[in-house]
Amino acid sequence: MAKQVLCPRSLLFQPRPTFPYSPGAKGGGLVFTAGQVARDKTGKVVGIGDVRKQTIQTLKNVVAVLKEGGATPADVLKCTVYLVDIRHFQIMNDEFAKVFAKDPPARTTVEARLAEPEMLVEIEAIAWVG
């Protein structure tokens, strides 16, 4: 199977990034999401200062890319979560558990600076659909 770029309509906000970027890609039975952040369909970061609201929106964006590739949260093998402040882990984890309630994927969570100062959480996923 050739590589397929995934770009759900909900992530087609303007202005588009000026750097080489795709929200996701599919190939060889796998769906990869790029690191998703809390941008809504207008491109605005939601939940400024609120890690719970940002985690909810970020996970919506992850699920949108998965869906575009024919996957669901149940198909996710691995997630990586980046938090600006690791002290937000439990809040993020509470929302993560709602999306991945049964047989959650393997996960790595790290503290990291993100691309823009208002971003508090970024999540990427790898799913098997083959």
Side-chain angles (χ1 to χ4, degrees):
M1 169 193 276
K3 177 178 97 170
Q4 176 187 356
V5 172
L6 305 173
C7 192
R9 291 187 105 38
S10 62
L11 299 178
L12 289 176
F13 46 79
Q14 296 295 328
R16 298 291 301 145
T18 57
F19 47 85
Y21 170 82
S22 295
K26 179 179 179 180
L30 293 170
V31 174
F32 296 85
T33 75
Q36 297 299 309
V37 294
R39 290 198 186 279
D40 65 12
K41 62 184 174 185
T42 69
K44 292 182 182 177
V45 175
V46 300
I48 302 294
D50 186 331
V51 74
R52 184 175 309 279
K53 286 181 182 175
Q54 286 202 14
T55 301
I56 291 167
Q57 182 63 48
T58 298
L59 287 166
K60 284 181 185 177
N61 294 345
V62 168
V63 170
V65 177
L66 292 170
K67 183 178 178 183
E68 186 79 7
T72 69
D75 300 314
V76 174
L77 302 172
K78 171 80 166 73
C79 283
T80 304
V81 177
Y82 304 94
L83 290 171
V84 167
D85 187 337
I86 201 68
R87 292 176 293 182
H88 295 147
F89 177 85
Q90 192 56 55
I91 295 167
M92 175 281 300
N93 193 60
D94 291 345
E95 298 306 322
F96 190 94
K98 292 174 185 176
V99 174
F100 299 102
K102 186 173 190 258
D103 300 324
R107 181 179 71 189
T108 300
T109 304
V110 296
E111 184 176 68
R113 284 192 301 188
L114 301 182
E116 297 177 31
E118 63 269 10
M119 296 174 181
L120 302 175
V121 61
E122 182 172 338
I123 302 173
E124 61 185 25
I126 302 169
W128 171 255
V129 292

mmCIF file with all atom_site columns, all heavy atoms in Angstrom, residues 89-109:
data_model
loop_
_atom_site.group_PDB
_atom_site.id
_atom_site.type_symbol
_atom_site.label_atom_id
_atom_site.label_alt_id
_atom_site.label_comp_id
_atom_site.label_asym_id
_atom_site.label_entity_id
_atom_site.label_seq_id
_atom_site.pdbx_PDB_ins_code
_atom_site.Cartn_x
_atom_site.Cartn_y
_atom_site.Cartn_z
_atom_site.occupancy
_atom_site.B_iso_or_equiv
_atom_site.pdbx_formal_charge
_atom_site.auth_seq_id
_atom_site.auth_comp_id
_atom_site.auth_asym_id
_atom_site.auth_atom_id
_atom_site.pdbx_PDB_model_num
ATOM 1   N N   . PHE A 1 89  ? 0.075   15.750 34.795 1.00 0.00 ? 89  PHE A N   1
ATOM 2   C CA  . PHE A 1 89  ? -0.106  14.362 34.347 1.00 0.00 ? 89  PHE A CA  1
ATOM 3   C C   . PHE A 1 89  ? -1.481  13.803 34.714 1.00 0.00 ? 89  PHE A C   1
ATOM 4   O O   . PHE A 1 89  ? -2.155  13.212 33.876 1.00 0.00 ? 89  PHE A O   1
ATOM 5   C CB  . PHE A 1 89  ? 0.989   13.455 34.917 1.00 0.00 ? 89  PHE A CB  1
ATOM 6   C CG  . PHE A 1 89  ? 0.801   12.014 34.532 1.00 0.00 ? 89  PHE A CG  1
ATOM 7   C CD1 . PHE A 1 89  ? 1.272   11.538 33.322 1.00 0.00 ? 89  PHE A CD1 1
ATOM 8   C CD2 . PHE A 1 89  ? 0.115   11.131 35.364 1.00 0.00 ? 89  PHE A CD2 1
ATOM 9   C CE1 . PHE A 1 89  ? 1.082   10.212 32.939 1.00 0.00 ? 89  PHE A CE1 1
ATOM 10  C CE2 . PHE A 1 89  ? -0.084  9.806  34.993 1.00 0.00 ? 89  PHE A CE2 1
ATOM 11  C CZ  . PHE A 1 89  ? 0.406   9.356  33.780 1.00 0.00 ? 89  PHE A CZ  1
ATOM 12  N N   . GLN A 1 90  ? -1.903  13.947 35.952 1.00 0.00 ? 90  GLN A N   1
ATOM 13  C CA  . GLN A 1 90  ? -3.157  13.319 36.383 1.00 0.00 ? 90  GLN A CA  1
ATOM 14  C C   . GLN A 1 90  ? -4.357  13.901 35.657 1.00 0.00 ? 90  GLN A C   1
ATOM 15  O O   . GLN A 1 90  ? -5.274  13.166 35.266 1.00 0.00 ? 90  GLN A O   1
ATOM 16  C CB  . GLN A 1 90  ? -3.348  13.413 37.897 1.00 0.00 ? 90  GLN A CB  1
ATOM 17  C CG  . GLN A 1 90  ? -4.475  12.526 38.401 1.00 0.00 ? 90  GLN A CG  1
ATOM 18  C CD  . GLN A 1 90  ? -4.286  11.055 38.013 1.00 0.00 ? 90  GLN A CD  1
ATOM 19  O OE1 . GLN A 1 90  ? -3.267  10.451 38.304 1.00 0.00 ? 90  GLN A OE1 1
ATOM 20  N NE2 . GLN A 1 90  ? -5.280  10.487 37.332 1.00 0.00 ? 90  GLN A NE2 1
ATOM 21  N N   . ILE A 1 91  ? -4.366  15.207 35.432 1.00 0.00 ? 91  ILE A N   1
ATOM 22  C CA  . ILE A 1 91  ? -5.474  15.829 34.701 1.00 0.00 ? 91  ILE A CA  1
ATOM 23  C C   . ILE A 1 91  ? -5.519  15.280 33.280 1.00 0.00 ? 91  ILE A C   1
ATOM 24  O O   . ILE A 1 91  ? -6.584  14.887 32.785 1.00 0.00 ? 91  ILE A O   1
ATOM 25  C CB  . ILE A 1 91  ? -5.323  17.367 34.695 1.00 0.00 ? 91  ILE A CB  1
ATOM 26  C CG1 . ILE A 1 91  ? -5.445  17.910 36.124 1.00 0.00 ? 91  ILE A CG1 1
ATOM 27  C CG2 . ILE A 1 91  ? -6.370  18.000 33.779 1.00 0.00 ? 91  ILE A CG2 1
ATOM 28  C CD1 . ILE A 1 91  ? -5.018  19.355 36.269 1.00 0.00 ? 91  ILE A CD1 1
ATOM 29  N N   . MET A 1 92  ? -4.352  15.253 32.611 1.00 0.00 ? 92  MET A N   1
ATOM 30  C CA  . MET A 1 92  ? -4.292  14.689 31.262 1.00 0.00 ? 92  MET A CA  1
ATOM 31  C C   . MET A 1 92  ? -4.725  13.236 31.284 1.00 0.00 ? 92  MET A C   1
ATOM 32  O O   . MET A 1 92  ? -5.505  12.776 30.453 1.00 0.00 ? 92  MET A O   1
ATOM 33  C CB  . MET A 1 92  ? -2.863  14.816 30.711 1.00 0.00 ? 92  MET A CB  1
ATOM 34  C CG  . MET A 1 92  ? -2.624  14.163 29.354 1.00 0.00 ? 92  MET A CG  1
ATOM 35  S SD  . MET A 1 92  ? -2.381  12.355 29.368 1.00 0.00 ? 92  MET A SD  1
ATOM 36  C CE  . MET A 1 92  ? -0.939  12.178 30.400 1.00 0.00 ? 92  MET A CE  1
ATOM 37  N N   . ASN A 1 93  ? -4.235  12.478 32.253 1.00 0.00 ? 93  ASN A N   1
ATOM 38  C CA  . ASN A 1 93  ? -4.524  11.049 32.337 1.00 0.00 ? 93  ASN A CA  1
ATOM 39  C C   . ASN A 1 93  ? -6.019  10.778 32.506 1.00 0.00 ? 93  ASN A C   1
ATOM 40  O O   . ASN A 1 93  ? -6.551  9.825  31.936 1.00 0.00 ? 93  ASN A O   1
ATOM 41  C CB  . ASN A 1 93  ? -3.739  10.435 33.498 1.00 0.00 ? 93  ASN A CB  1
ATOM 42  C CG  . ASN A 1 93  ? -3.737  8.930  33.442 1.00 0.00 ? 93  ASN A CG  1
ATOM 43  O OD1 . ASN A 1 93  ? -3.272  8.339  32.478 1.00 0.00 ? 93  ASN A OD1 1
ATOM 44  N ND2 . ASN A 1 93  ? -4.276  8.312  34.481 1.00 0.00 ? 93  ASN A ND2 1
ATOM 45  N N   . ASP A 1 94  ? -6.701  11.616 33.283 1.00 0.00 ? 94  ASP A N   1
ATOM 46  C CA  . ASP A 1 94  ? -8.147  11.448 33.479 1.00 0.00 ? 94  ASP A CA  1
ATOM 47  C C   . ASP A 1 94  ? -8.889  11.536 32.144 1.00 0.00 ? 94  ASP A C   1
ATOM 48  O O   . ASP A 1 94  ? -9.793  10.738 31.879 1.00 0.00 ? 94  ASP A O   1
ATOM 49  C CB  . ASP A 1 94  ? -8.697  12.501 34.441 1.00 0.00 ? 94  ASP A CB  1
ATOM 50  C CG  . ASP A 1 94  ? -8.225  12.313 35.869 1.00 0.00 ? 94  ASP A CG  1
ATOM 51  O OD1 . ASP A 1 94  ? -7.704  11.220 36.208 1.00 0.00 ? 94  ASP A OD1 1
ATOM 52  O OD2 . ASP A 1 94  ? -8.358  13.286 36.652 1.00 0.00 ? 94  ASP A OD2 1
ATOM 53  N N   . GLU A 1 95  ? -8.514  12.493 31.293 1.00 0.00 ? 95  GLU A N   1
ATOM 54  C CA  . GLU A 1 95  ? -9.164  12.655 29.990 1.00 0.00 ? 95  GLU A CA  1
ATOM 55  C C   . GLU A 1 95  ? -8.713  11.577 29.009 1.00 0.00 ? 95  GLU A C   1
ATOM 56  O O   . GLU A 1 95  ? -9.515  11.064 28.231 1.00 0.00 ? 95  GLU A O   1
ATOM 57  C CB  . GLU A 1 95  ? -8.909  14.052 29.425 1.00 0.00 ? 95  GLU A CB  1
ATOM 58  C CG  . GLU A 1 95  ? -9.471  15.169 30.279 1.00 0.00 ? 95  GLU A CG  1
ATOM 59  C CD  . GLU A 1 95  ? -10.950 15.014 30.584 1.00 0.00 ? 95  GLU A CD  1
ATOM 60  O OE1 . GLU A 1 95  ? -11.723 14.579 29.703 1.00 0.00 ? 95  GLU A OE1 1
ATOM 61  O OE2 . GLU A 1 95  ? -11.368 15.337 31.724 1.00 0.00 ? 95  GLU A OE2 1
ATOM 62  N N   . PHE A 1 96  ? -7.455  11.205 29.059 1.00 0.00 ? 96  PHE A N   1
ATOM 63  C CA  . PHE A 1 96  ? -6.909  10.140 28.207 1.00 0.00 ? 96  PHE A CA  1
ATOM 64  C C   . PHE A 1 96  ? -7.668  8.837  28.473 1.00 0.00 ? 96  PHE A C   1
ATOM 65  O O   . PHE A 1 96  ? -8.030  8.117  27.546 1.00 0.00 ? 96  PHE A O   1
ATOM 66  C CB  . PHE A 1 96  ? -5.418  9.973  28.500 1.00 0.00 ? 96  PHE A CB  1
ATOM 67  C CG  . PHE A 1 96  ? -4.679  9.082  27.550 1.00 0.00 ? 96  PHE A CG  1
ATOM 68  C CD1 . PHE A 1 96  ? -4.018  9.605  26.441 1.00 0.00 ? 96  PHE A CD1 1
ATOM 69  C CD2 . PHE A 1 96  ? -4.600  7.712  27.768 1.00 0.00 ? 96  PHE A CD2 1
ATOM 70  C CE1 . PHE A 1 96  ? -3.320  8.785  25.565 1.00 0.00 ? 96  PHE A CE1 1
ATOM 71  C CE2 . PHE A 1 96  ? -3.903  6.879  26.902 1.00 0.00 ? 96  PHE A CE2 1
ATOM 72  C CZ  . PHE A 1 96  ? -3.263  7.423  25.788 1.00 0.00 ? 96  PHE A CZ  1
ATOM 73  N N   . ALA A 1 97  ? -7.935  8.572  29.739 1.00 0.00 ? 97  ALA A N   1
ATOM 74  C CA  . ALA A 1 97  ? -8.632  7.334  30.129 1.00 0.00 ? 97  ALA A CA  1
ATOM 75  C C   . ALA A 1 97  ? -10.058 7.278  29.587 1.00 0.00 ? 97  ALA A C   1
ATOM 76  O O   . ALA A 1 97  ? -10.595 6.189  29.374 1.00 0.00 ? 97  ALA A O   1
ATOM 77  C CB  . ALA A 1 97  ? -8.638  7.195  31.652 1.00 0.00 ? 97  ALA A CB  1
ATOM 78  N N   . LYS A 1 98  ? -10.670 8.411  29.350 1.00 0.00 ? 98  LYS A N   1
ATOM 79  C CA  . LYS A 1 98  ? -12.028 8.426  28.783 1.00 0.00 ? 98  LYS A CA  1
ATOM 80  C C   . LYS A 1 98  ? -12.008 7.996  27.317 1.00 0.00 ? 98  LYS A C   1
ATOM 81  O O   . LYS A 1 98  ? -12.944 7.340  26.859 1.00 0.00 ? 98  LYS A O   1
ATOM 82  C CB  . LYS A 1 98  ? -12.639 9.817  28.917 1.00 0.00 ? 98  LYS A CB  1
ATOM 83  C CG  . LYS A 1 98  ? -12.926 10.216 30.354 1.00 0.00 ? 98  LYS A CG  1
ATOM 84  C CD  . LYS A 1 98  ? -13.395 11.648 30.441 1.00 0.00 ? 98  LYS A CD  1
ATOM 85  C CE  . LYS A 1 98  ? -13.564 12.077 31.900 1.00 0.00 ? 98  LYS A CE  1
ATOM 86  N NZ  . LYS A 1 98  ? -13.925 13.507 32.006 1.00 0.00 ? 98  LYS A NZ  1
ATOM 87  N N   . VAL A 1 99  ? -10.976 8.369  26.577 1.00 0.00 ? 99  VAL A N   1
ATOM 88  C CA  . VAL A 1 99  ? -10.877 8.018  25.158 1.00 0.00 ? 99  VAL A CA  1
ATOM 89  C C   . VAL A 1 99  ? -10.366 6.590  24.988 1.00 0.00 ? 99  VAL A C   1
ATOM 90  O O   . VAL A 1 99  ? -10.801 5.873  24.096 1.00 0.00 ? 99  VAL A O   1
ATOM 91  C CB  . VAL A 1 99  ? -9.972  9.030  24.416 1.00 0.00 ? 99  VAL A CB  1
ATOM 92  C CG1 . VAL A 1 99  ? -9.729  8.603  22.970 1.00 0.00 ? 99  VAL A CG1 1
ATOM 93  C CG2 . VAL A 1 99  ? -10.583 10.424 24.467 1.00 0.00 ? 99  VAL A CG2 1
ATOM 94  N N   . PHE A 1 100 ? -9.451  6.183  25.855 1.00 0.00 ? 100 PHE A N   1
ATOM 95  C CA  . PHE A 1 100 ? -8.839  4.848  25.790 1.00 0.00 ? 100 PHE A CA  1
ATOM 96  C C   . PHE A 1 100 ? -9.245  4.047  27.023 1.00 0.00 ? 100 PHE A C   1
ATOM 97  O O   . PHE A 1 100 ? -8.407  3.599  27.796 1.00 0.00 ? 100 PHE A O   1
ATOM 98  C CB  . PHE A 1 100 ? -7.322  4.970  25.679 1.00 0.00 ? 100 PHE A CB  1
ATOM 99  C CG  . PHE A 1 100 ? -6.869  5.709  24.454 1.00 0.00 ? 100 PHE A CG  1
ATOM 100 C CD1 . PHE A 1 100 ? -6.451  7.027  24.526 1.00 0.00 ? 100 PHE A CD1 1
ATOM 101 C CD2 . PHE A 1 100 ? -6.863  5.084  23.213 1.00 0.00 ? 100 PHE A CD2 1
ATOM 102 C CE1 . PHE A 1 100 ? -6.023  7.712  23.396 1.00 0.00 ? 100 PHE A CE1 1
ATOM 103 C CE2 . PHE A 1 100 ? -6.446  5.752  22.073 1.00 0.00 ? 100 PHE A CE2 1
ATOM 104 C CZ  . PHE A 1 100 ? -6.027  7.070  22.158 1.00 0.00 ? 100 PHE A CZ  1
ATOM 105 N N   . ALA A 1 101 ? -10.553 3.877  27.200 1.00 0.00 ? 101 ALA A N   1
ATOM 106 C CA  . ALA A 1 101 ? -11.093 3.266  28.413 1.00 0.00 ? 101 ALA A CA  1
ATOM 107 C C   . ALA A 1 101 ? -10.812 1.770  28.528 1.00 0.00 ? 101 ALA A C   1
ATOM 108 O O   . ALA A 1 101 ? -10.601 1.259  29.619 1.00 0.00 ? 101 ALA A O   1
ATOM 109 C CB  . ALA A 1 101 ? -12.597 3.512  28.490 1.00 0.00 ? 101 ALA A CB  1
ATOM 110 N N   . LYS A 1 102 ? -10.814 1.060  27.406 1.00 0.00 ? 102 LYS A N   1
ATOM 111 C CA  . LYS A 1 102 ? -10.643 -0.386 27.425 1.00 0.00 ? 102 LYS A CA  1
ATOM 112 C C   . LYS A 1 102 ? -9.369  -0.742 26.686 1.00 0.00 ? 102 LYS A C   1
ATOM 113 O O   . LYS A 1 102 ? -9.135  -0.264 25.580 1.00 0.00 ? 102 LYS A O   1
ATOM 114 C CB  . LYS A 1 102 ? -11.840 -1.070 26.766 1.00 0.00 ? 102 LYS A CB  1
ATOM 115 C CG  . LYS A 1 102 ? -11.799 -2.576 26.870 1.00 0.00 ? 102 LYS A CG  1
ATOM 116 C CD  . LYS A 1 102 ? -13.076 -3.192 26.346 1.00 0.00 ? 102 LYS A CD  1
ATOM 117 C CE  . LYS A 1 102 ? -13.108 -4.655 26.671 1.00 0.00 ? 102 LYS A CE  1
ATOM 118 N NZ  . LYS A 1 102 ? -12.809 -5.555 25.639 1.00 0.00 ? 102 LYS A NZ  1
ATOM 119 N N   . ASP A 1 103 ? -8.542  -1.573 27.291 1.00 0.00 ? 103 ASP A N   1
ATOM 120 C CA  . ASP A 1 103 ? -7.288  -2.006 26.680 1.00 0.00 ? 103 ASP A CA  1
ATOM 121 C C   . ASP A 1 103 ? -6.495  -0.826 26.129 1.00 0.00 ? 103 ASP A C   1
ATOM 122 O O   . ASP A 1 103 ? -6.258  -0.726 24.922 1.00 0.00 ? 103 ASP A O   1
ATOM 123 C CB  . ASP A 1 103 ? -7.542  -3.029 25.561 1.00 0.00 ? 103 ASP A CB  1
ATOM 124 C CG  . ASP A 1 103 ? -8.243  -4.277 26.070 1.00 0.00 ? 103 ASP A CG  1
ATOM 125 O OD1 . ASP A 1 103 ? -7.943  -4.703 27.212 1.00 0.00 ? 103 ASP A OD1 1
ATOM 126 O OD2 . ASP A 1 103 ? -9.086  -4.825 25.339 1.00 0.00 ? 103 ASP A OD2 1
ATOM 127 N N   . PRO A 1 104 ? -6.088  0.105  26.990 1.00 0.00 ? 104 PRO A N   1
ATOM 128 C CA  . PRO A 1 104 ? -5.386  1.302  26.513 1.00 0.00 ? 104 PRO A CA  1
ATOM 129 C C   . PRO A 1 104 ? -4.071  0.947  25.823 1.00 0.00 ? 104 PRO A C   1
ATOM 130 O O   . PRO A 1 104 ? -3.486  -0.107 26.064 1.00 0.00 ? 104 PRO A O   1
ATOM 131 C CB  . PRO A 1 104 ? -5.144  2.109  27.792 1.00 0.00 ? 104 PRO A CB  1
ATOM 132 C CG  . PRO A 1 104 ? -5.223  1.121  28.895 1.00 0.00 ? 104 PRO A CG  1
ATOM 133 C CD  . PRO A 1 104 ? -6.168  0.049  28.446 1.00 0.00 ? 104 PRO A CD  1
ATOM 134 N N   . PRO A 1 105 ? -3.613  1.847  24.954 1.00 0.00 ? 105 PRO A N   1
ATOM 135 C CA  . PRO A 1 105 ? -2.371  1.605  24.226 1.00 0.00 ? 105 PRO A CA  1
ATOM 136 C C   . PRO A 1 105 ? -1.156  1.773  25.129 1.00 0.00 ? 105 PRO A C   1
ATOM 137 O O   . PRO A 1 105 ? -1.247  2.352  26.218 1.00 0.00 ? 105 PRO A O   1
ATOM 138 C CB  . PRO A 1 105 ? -2.383  2.699  23.152 1.00 0.00 ? 105 PRO A CB  1
ATOM 139 C CG  . PRO A 1 105 ? -3.157  3.816  23.776 1.00 0.00 ? 105 PRO A CG  1
ATOM 140 C CD  . PRO A 1 105 ? -4.216  3.141  24.605 1.00 0.00 ? 105 PRO A CD  1
ATOM 141 N N   . ALA A 1 106 ? -0.026  1.286  24.644 1.00 0.00 ? 106 ALA A N   1
ATOM 142 C CA  . ALA A 1 106 ? 1.238   1.618  25.304 1.00 0.00 ? 106 ALA A CA  1
ATOM 143 C C   . ALA A 1 106 ? 1.369   3.138  25.238 1.00 0.00 ? 106 ALA A C   1
ATOM 144 O O   . ALA A 1 106 ? 0.880   3.771  24.292 1.00 0.00 ? 106 ALA A O   1
ATOM 145 C CB  . ALA A 1 106 ? 2.399   0.941  24.583 1.00 0.00 ? 106 ALA A CB  1
ATOM 146 N N   . ARG A 1 107 ? 2.024   3.726  26.225 1.00 0.00 ? 107 ARG A N   1
ATOM 147 C CA  . ARG A 1 107 ? 2.106   5.190  26.250 1.00 0.00 ? 107 ARG A CA  1
ATOM 148 C C   . ARG A 1 107 ? 3.394   5.640  26.909 1.00 0.00 ? 107 ARG A C   1
ATOM 149 O O   . ARG A 1 107 ? 3.844   5.053  27.891 1.00 0.00 ? 107 ARG A O   1
ATOM 150 C CB  . ARG A 1 107 ? 0.922   5.781  27.014 1.00 0.00 ? 107 ARG A CB  1
ATOM 151 C CG  . ARG A 1 107 ? 0.943   7.302  27.037 1.00 0.00 ? 107 ARG A CG  1
ATOM 152 C CD  . ARG A 1 107 ? -0.238  7.873  27.760 1.00 0.00 ? 107 ARG A CD  1
ATOM 153 N NE  . ARG A 1 107 ? -0.137  7.635  29.182 1.00 0.00 ? 107 ARG A NE  1
ATOM 154 C CZ  . ARG A 1 107 ? -1.111  7.880  30.047 1.00 0.00 ? 107 ARG A CZ  1
ATOM 155 N NH1 . ARG A 1 107 ? -2.264  8.360  29.643 1.00 0.00 ? 107 ARG A NH1 1
ATOM 156 N NH2 . ARG A 1 107 ? -0.950  7.637  31.326 1.00 0.00 ? 107 ARG A NH2 1
ATOM 157 N N   . THR A 1 108 ? 3.947   6.692  26.352 1.00 0.00 ? 108 THR A N   1
ATOM 158 C CA  . THR A 1 108 ? 5.074   7.394  26.960 1.00 0.00 ? 108 THR A CA  1
ATOM 159 C C   . THR A 1 108 ? 4.611   8.819  27.208 1.00 0.00 ? 108 THR A C   1
ATOM 160 O O   . THR A 1 108 ? 3.972   9.420  26.333 1.00 0.00 ? 108 THR A O   1
ATOM 161 C CB  . THR A 1 108 ? 6.290   7.407  26.017 1.00 0.00 ? 108 THR A CB  1
ATOM 162 O OG1 . THR A 1 108 ? 6.667   6.059  25.748 1.00 0.00 ? 108 THR A OG1 1
ATOM 163 C CG2 . THR A 1 108 ? 7.461   8.158  26.626 1.00 0.00 ? 108 THR A CG2 1
ATOM 164 N N   . THR A 1 109 ? 4.895   9.344  28.378 1.00 0.00 ? 109 THR A N   1
ATOM 165 C CA  . THR A 1 109 ? 4.562   10.733 28.694 1.00 0.00 ? 109 THR A CA  1
ATOM 166 C C   . THR A 1 109 ? 5.835   11.429 29.134 1.00 0.00 ? 109 THR A C   1
ATOM 167 O O   . THR A 1 109 ? 6.535   10.936 30.031 1.00 0.00 ? 109 THR A O   1
ATOM 168 C CB  . THR A 1 109 ? 3.506   10.810 29.812 1.00 0.00 ? 109 THR A CB  1
ATOM 169 O OG1 . THR A 1 109 ? 2.354   10.055 29.423 1.00 0.00 ? 109 THR A OG1 1
ATOM 170 C CG2 . THR A 1 109 ? 3.102   12.249 30.099 1.00 0.00 ? 109 THR A CG2 1
#
